[in-house]
Amino acid sequence: MMNAIETIIENEKDESLRIIAQKVINQKRISKQDGLLLFERGSLSFLGALANAVRERLHGDRTYFNRNFHIEPTNVCVFSCKFCSYSRLYAHKEEGWELSTEQMMDIVKKYDGKPVTEVHIVGGVHPKMNLDFFADLLRKIKAHRPDLHIKGFTAVELDYMFRKAKMTTEEGLRFLKEAGLDSLPGGGAEIFDEKIREQICADKVSSEGWLDIHGTAHKLGMHTNATMLYGHLESYEHRIDHMDRLRSLQDETKGFNTFIPLKFRNHDNEMSHIPEVSVIEDLRLYAIARLYMDNFPHLKAYWPMLGRQNAQLTLSFGVNDIDGTIDDSTKIYSMAGSEEQNPAMSTAELVTLINQAGRKAIERDTLYNEVRDYSTVPLQELSANPELN
Ligand code: V47
Ligand code: SF4
């Protein structure tokens, strides 16, 4: 008897798609041409069924989240990415914020006694917040709370810091690692195609520079994430090229944990005239990402950007991670027009969202070690326990 996935392949009329599906089922790598064909011709149901088969082979129903909070040191930024709704140019810094080390430590102290496992530190690129400033912050956070995993600074921030400090990437990363930096988030990748990059974020780290920083971090034993900003000027070819460059680096280093597609949100930025892509296009992209990025263990839907209901849908299209509680500590997406204006979810809400999609909620730490399996915890117990809110 045929199983569900075999039936779907059998019923697919397009022979080229059937051949690609067979490769996926046989755990063979799909090519750039295959990826492109999936974008051009794959229906939502076909892509979803295949991506779901891969997701279940890798993770079963396990769906990860973590308990985390963000620190955004500043939204003053020397760069001028056209899609950014968040930054205030240095010349207009009265509209922005700049947190002192004490203010950032107050944020960390707010979580004393609370079971968060990660702080995510990302912000604009402020000309006065240099390598020493951030190394001092990292040391203070670690001294206060040694068990907290610090995932911090995009390759954009690091590239600027290291150049100003006249350090090589390796020297700079070693210095920050020594000070307490544990891993790097995936931001700043945008789209690697040089022509599109020139049009949307000409003045910040190049694609080569981004990949070099992540590759170097991997060689130093640090794990990192990777993002892709989609749904603006890029074509399907550009998406495949972006994923292909990441897949090749991952073949070499094995240092990436998670791929995070980020949907372009068009509120209040210089690209506001570009309409946002549909949810169908989001789901197709997540599914193709799961199929193409065969050496990335995890695929994350970042709910503050996508909205919680759409993030929930992605759990049937290859996604196995939904980020964390966040606790209303980030402004990047509310300023870009996300429906999540005050992004915060309690553990009970996150677990419910995952359960409703028919999956098992597993709390993880940043490196995907299991903290707690919530699939057996009754919901009443979750909601009644204030520690979990
Ligand atoms: O690089 C900025 C994106 C990124 C917009 O590693 C926008 O776990 C959509 O990288 N529409 C920063 N996206 C955030 C980031 C991230 C977020 C969550 C988790 C992790 C992780 C990393 O935000 C930027 C840029 O690609 N961004 N403006 C916008 N209008
Ligand atoms: Fe600055 Fe980052 Fe915004 Fe670009 S996306 S302008 S680097 S804050």
Side-chain angles (χ1 to χ4, degrees):
M1 210 172 76
M2 276 198 288
N3 64 29
I5 189 73
E6 282 166 347
T7 313
I8 284 165
I9 299 173
E10 185 84 351
N11 290 340
E12 173 56 55
K13 291 187 187 67
D14 187 325
E15 197 197 345
S16 312
L17 289 178
R18 283 205 306 275
I19 293 170
I20 299 174
Q22 211 52 61
K23 279 193 195 172
V24 171
I25 298 305
N26 297 337
Q27 300 188 37
K28 297 237 166 65
R29 175 162 279 190
I30 63 172
S31 68
K32 283 173 122 174
Q33 289 85 335
D34 294 337
L36 199 55
L37 214 118
L38 291 175
F39 271 122
E40 283 165 354
R41 297 203 224 150
S43 68
L44 182 64
S45 56
F46 174 80
L47 295 171
L50 267 186
N52 195 49
V54 173
R55 181 249 208 255
E56 290 184 358
R57 174 162 52 72
L58 294 171
H59 304 288
D61 278 332
R62 292 166 73 83
T63 301
Y64 296 98
F65 70 95
N66 73 351
R67 283 200 252 184
N68 62 350
F69 63 99
H70 289 226
I71 297 178
E72 296 180 348
T74 182
N75 69 339
V76 172
C77 188
V78 298
F79 297 120
S80 44
C81 306
K82 295 219 168 82
F83 53 80
C84 182
S85 322
Y86 166 83
S87 76
R88 295 294 173 263
L89 288 177
Y90 195 54
H92 302 288
K93 69 185 168 93
E94 64 282 359
E95 292 172 30
W97 70 83
E98 307 173 19
L99 301 184
S100 65
T101 305
E102 288 63 39
Q103 286 172 312
M104 291 192 263
M105 285 309 295
D106 285 343
I107 299 178
V108 174
K109 287 173 191 163
K110 228 175 77 184
Y111 294 91
D112 284 356
K114 295 197 180 158
V116 290
T117 56
E118 173 192 282
V119 56
H120 178 150
I121 308 177
V122 168
V125 179
H126 191 298
K128 298 222 169 95
M129 291 181 171
N130 62 17
L131 190 66
D132 286 321
F133 174 83
F134 283 120
D136 176 59
L137 174 70
L138 294 170
R139 284 186 209 105
K140 288 198 164 98
I141 296 175
K142 281 288 174 188
H144 183 75
R145 192 157 175 181
D147 58 313
L148 194 63
H149 181 109
I150 307 179
K151 179 178 75 175
F153 313 121
T154 64
V156 178
E157 296 164 277
L158 295 172
D159 175 63
Y160 185 84
M161 269 185 240
F162 299 162
R163 279 192 289 118
K164 273 210 129 175
K166 300 201 175 358
M167 280 191 189
T168 64
T169 300
E170 183 167 339
E171 287 163 351
L173 281 170
R174 277 189 197 281
F175 181 72
L176 289 180
K177 188 171 181 243
E178 193 80 2
L181 185 64
D182 294 301
S183 66
L184 309 187
E190 320 312 358
I191 275 284
F192 291 144
D193 178 83
E194 280 74 12
K195 288 207 185 83
I196 301 290
R197 203 171 181 84
E198 179 68 29
Q199 292 175 64
I200 64 171
C201 55
D203 51 358
K204 71 184 186 189
V205 69
S206 66
S207 306
E208 205 187 330
W210 191 99
L211 290 162
D212 177 56
I213 288 176
H214 282 256
T216 308
H218 299 165
K219 280 172 201 145
L220 297 179
M222 297 166 91
H223 283 276
T224 77
N225 291 337
T227 57
M228 172 171 79
L229 182 72
Y230 71 93
H232 44 90
L233 301 179
E234 89 291 359
S235 65
Y236 290 151
E237 277 94 342
H238 297 136
R239 293 181 187 178
I240 290 290
D241 167 66
H242 187 94
M243 292 196 281
D244 196 68
R245 295 197 209 188
L246 290 170
R247 192 170 80 170
S248 300
L249 180 57
Q250 178 75 332
D251 277 342
E252 268 176 55
T253 64
K254 316 254 183 306
F256 287 115
N257 271 337
T258 316
F259 182 52
I260 314 163
L262 294 171
K263 175 187 183 134
F264 165 64
R265 307 303 309 247
N266 68 4
H267 182 75
D268 199 18
N269 56 49
E270 284 183 58
M271 286 163 51
S272 291
H273 58 284
I274 300 176
E276 292 179 1
V277 296
S278 66
V279 178
I280 302 283
E281 194 55 21
D282 295 330
L283 297 175
R284 293 178 76 250
L285 170 78
Y286 277 95
I288 294 170
R290 184 59 284 170
L291 301 176
Y292 201 80
M293 309 297 267
D294 57 1
N295 54 6
F296 272 64
H298 306 285
L299 180 65
K300 184 196 283 192
Y302 184 55
W303 66 265
M305 174 267 296
L306 211 51
R308 60 191 78 186
Q309 287 180 347
N310 292 342
Q312 190 180 35
L313 282 175
T314 65
L315 299 182
S316 302
F317 290 82
V319 167
N320 71 297
D321 185 315
I322 200 157
D323 205 81
T325 42
I326 317 261
D327 201 25
D328 196 11
S329 52
T330 174
K331 293 200 167 49
I332 300 181
Y333 290 103
S334 47
M335 290 171 84
S338 168
E339 38 286 84
E340 301 292 346
Q341 284 299 301
N342 299 96
M345 268 209 262
S346 67
T347 302
E349 284 172 315
L350 268 168
V351 171
T352 305
L353 190 133
I354 294 168
N355 286 347
Q356 283 171 346
R359 303 297 194 190
K360 288 183 173 173
I362 311 288
E363 184 186 342
R364 61 161 175 88
D365 65 13
T366 312
L367 303 177
Y368 290 84
N369 299 302
E370 180 174 322
V371 175
R372 189 166 178 195
D373 179 348
Y374 281 90
S375 62
T376 52
V377 181
L379 258 191
Q380 300 89 306
E381 190 190 314
L382 265 183
S383 328
N385 186 346
E387 234 219 353
L388 298 177
N389 287 310

